[in-house]
Amino acid sequence: MSDHVAGAVLVLNAGSSSLKYQLVHPDTEVVVAEGIAERIGDHDGSITHEQDGEKTTETLELPDHLTAIRRVRELFASGGIDLASAGLSAVGHRVVHGGRTFYHPTLIDDHVIGEIRRISSLAPLHNPANLTGIEAAREMLPDVPSVAVFDTAFFHGLPEAAATYAIDRGVAKLHAIRRYGFHGTSHQYVSEQVPPLLGKEPSEVHQIVLHLGNGASASAIRGGDPIDTSMGMTPLEGLVMGTRSGDIDPGVVLHLHRVVKLDADQIDALLNKNSGLKGLCGENDFRSVTERIERGDEAAKLAYDVYIHRLRRYIGAYMIDLGRVDAITFTAGVGENAAGVRADALAGLENYGIVVDPDRNAERSRTARRISTDDSAVAVLVVPTNEELAIARQAAEVVGERA
Ligand code: AMP
């Protein structure tokens, strides 16, 4: 019954209260099923599951990730797929922080779990959630190898000048405080699509990738190697995001503590959950921000302007970092869909050889495409990201190497 599943990879992305999953064939890119369990830990959890073109949503109590993953297995089973005996090649887990230890996709064993746990002090919100997904999957599918794919891995080789904070060296060293970068799976996947689109070898291409989703980050990549990225020790640094502030004077954090009397958890919540677009105008969904701007809402307009201002600042910095830029690529929810953001991010840069074609930019498409004019010296591209496929491929590769 589940023959068409043999060799597929189950990709799991466990957040603090959610579990996204996809069953995908890494070679053919065929997605067999996908879904998301949300509000794990609450009474009113829900699971949306899509298999064979049929989508179902149910609400139920999901006290923990193991309960969620067990229910997901039942949903697969009711669609004719027994995950435990279907011949999956691997379970691929997104793990947010690999610290300095992990920069390759890694087969998970007890030792690796211990190390990911140890690194959790660097990502206290993310890594423990990822671990719950890993442990739940290992318990439910003990015979399928699990592979961890780290969000930080692609940026492991950042030049020291880009990775180092200008703080006391001893403190930084002792506590592993440096810039790690995140969204690496997406930056790597998208940047690898670019050279063939330009008809060039990867080693020749200097490029900027703008991953603009609910989280957002930019990277500068020279010949396949990242030389800078906007996120730092945590995914809070850099661009303005849906709910995260991005760059902020560290003095503001001290002021919030000393004068406003917020404690660390309150400041964390303020900067991670109630800042960015949401903090500025009450909306973190970009479509809602745009709708409100169209209705004349000034807070939404300011939020948009701050977002674009920060984005252009990074583009400018990375043009200088790279010296020469062959391509600027937009990806993720906002980058792939919001033509206005793409136009505004690159407006008035004709003198730098960057010319967006308004008609190409306005075209809606799910495929990788060029939106700059034919004579624009810098190619401006839209490349849909696919982190699940990238994780599945890397997981399959690790398991294949072991076989
Ligand atoms: P992601 O994190 O990649 O799923 O991206 C989520 C963000 O993409 C949200 O802010 C969405 O509002 C935004 N988004 C999705 N579709 C569109 C669209 N058609 N136009 C503008 N923004 C969009």
Side-chain angles (χ1 to χ4, degrees):
M1 186 99 107
S2 47
D3 279 359
H4 66 300
V5 181
V9 175
L10 179 64
V11 177
L12 294 182
N13 180 355
S16 56
S17 64
S18 68
L19 175 74
K20 276 198 231 167
Y21 59 91
Q22 188 178 89
L23 185 59
V24 59
H25 284 278
D27 300 331
T28 60
E29 305 184 10
V30 170
V31 175
V32 180
E34 61 189 331
I36 180 165
E38 292 174 282
R39 291 184 299 283
I40 296 172
D42 270 359
H43 288 297
D44 62 339
S46 73
I47 301 183
T48 300
H49 181 79
E50 188 170 357
Q51 190 170 334
D52 298 325
E54 244 177 73
K55 196 169 181 170
T56 57
T57 299
E58 62 180 23
T59 52
L60 72 172
E61 191 172 342
L62 294 173
D64 50 41
H65 285 76
L66 184 57
T67 312
I69 209 167
R70 282 198 176 125
R71 182 60 195 146
V72 168
R73 181 170 69 173
E74 288 169 7
L75 290 167
F76 272 104
S78 50
I81 296 172
D82 174 14
L83 286 178
S85 66
L88 303 189
S89 62
V91 183
H93 295 272
R94 176 180 183 223
V95 179
V96 168
H97 219 305
R100 306 243 37 192
T101 314
F102 296 111
Y103 47 99
H104 294 298
T106 304
L107 194 67
I108 296 173
D109 57 19
D110 291 341
H111 171 72
V112 170
I113 288 181
E115 279 296 293
I116 295 173
R117 187 167 289 122
R118 196 179 59 77
I119 293 164
S120 287
S121 61
L122 288 169
L125 297 180
H126 295 96
N127 276 26
N130 304 153
L131 276 170
T132 57
I134 290 173
E135 281 168 343
R138 290 220 316 163
E139 183 164 337
M140 195 187 72
L141 304 171
D143 298 327
V144 185
S146 277
V147 176
V149 177
F150 298 91
D151 231 29
T152 47
F154 183 53
F155 298 114
H156 171 76
L158 276 186
E160 282 301 297
T164 304
Y165 288 115
I167 63 169
D168 183 289
R169 291 291 289 144
V171 172
K173 199 152 193 237
L174 190 60
H175 298 287
I177 297 171
R178 72 196 296 275
R179 306 189 64 252
Y180 291 91
F182 297 86
H183 288 151
T185 307
S186 177
H187 284 275
Q188 180 172 12
Y189 175 83
V190 169
S191 63
E192 285 174 359
Q193 317 291 311
V194 170
L197 287 169
L198 303 184
K200 291 190 170 165
E201 288 301 313
S203 60
E204 300 170 326
V205 177
H206 291 202
Q207 54 175 317
I208 295 173
V209 175
L210 304 167
H211 175 112
L212 309 178
N214 207 11
S217 59
S219 65
I221 300 167
R222 185 191 286 147
D225 296 323
I227 58 164
D228 209 349
T229 191
S230 59
M231 285 177 166
M233 175 171 139
T234 77
L236 184 53
E237 190 178 338
L239 300 175
V240 175
M241 308 182 215
T243 63
R244 285 173 246 166
S245 63
D247 294 337
I248 189 167
D249 176 353
V252 173
V253 177
L254 303 176
H255 183 86
L256 287 169
H257 178 58
R258 290 200 189 109
V259 179
V260 187
K261 304 288 181 209
L262 301 187
D263 65 22
D265 288 342
Q266 289 168 318
I267 297 172
D268 190 329
L270 177 76
L271 297 179
N272 274 299
K273 300 203 170 117
N274 287 309
S275 293
L277 297 173
K278 185 165 183 219
L280 288 166
C281 74
E283 306 277 2
N284 65 289
D285 190 294
F286 215 89
R287 282 164 293 199
S288 313
V289 177
T290 314
E291 280 162 21
R292 286 193 25 195
I293 295 171
E294 281 161 10
R295 293 202 303 270
D297 185 308
E298 283 184 13
K301 177 71 172 68
L302 177 63
Y304 182 84
D305 289 348
V306 176
Y307 183 96
I308 295 291
H309 178 264
R310 185 83 52 82
L311 186 55
R312 287 174 66 91
R313 185 195 277 180
Y314 271 92
I315 294 167
Y318 290 174
M319 284 165 64
I320 299 295
D321 266 355
L322 289 165
R324 182 198 87 226
V325 183
D326 300 301
I328 299 176
T329 304
F330 290 87
T331 192
V334 176
E336 290 168 33
N337 296 296
V341 168
R342 298 192 296 255
D344 290 339
L346 301 176
L349 301 181
E350 295 78 7
N351 284 346
Y352 295 92
I354 301 171
V355 189
V356 173
D357 180 308
D359 293 333
R360 287 180 181 170
N361 187 29
E363 228 168 78
R364 298 196 67 84
S365 160
R366 301 282 312 135
T367 54
R369 59 198 183 277
R370 181 179 173 123
I371 59 164
S372 46
T373 59
D374 288 340
D375 55 7
S376 176
V378 178
V380 183
L381 307 171
V382 178
V383 175
T385 192
N386 193 338
E387 289 168 279
E388 289 77 16
L389 178 63
I391 290 172
R393 282 184 181 157
Q394 294 182 38
E397 207 171 302
V398 168
V399 171
E401 280 163 8
R402 195 185 58 138

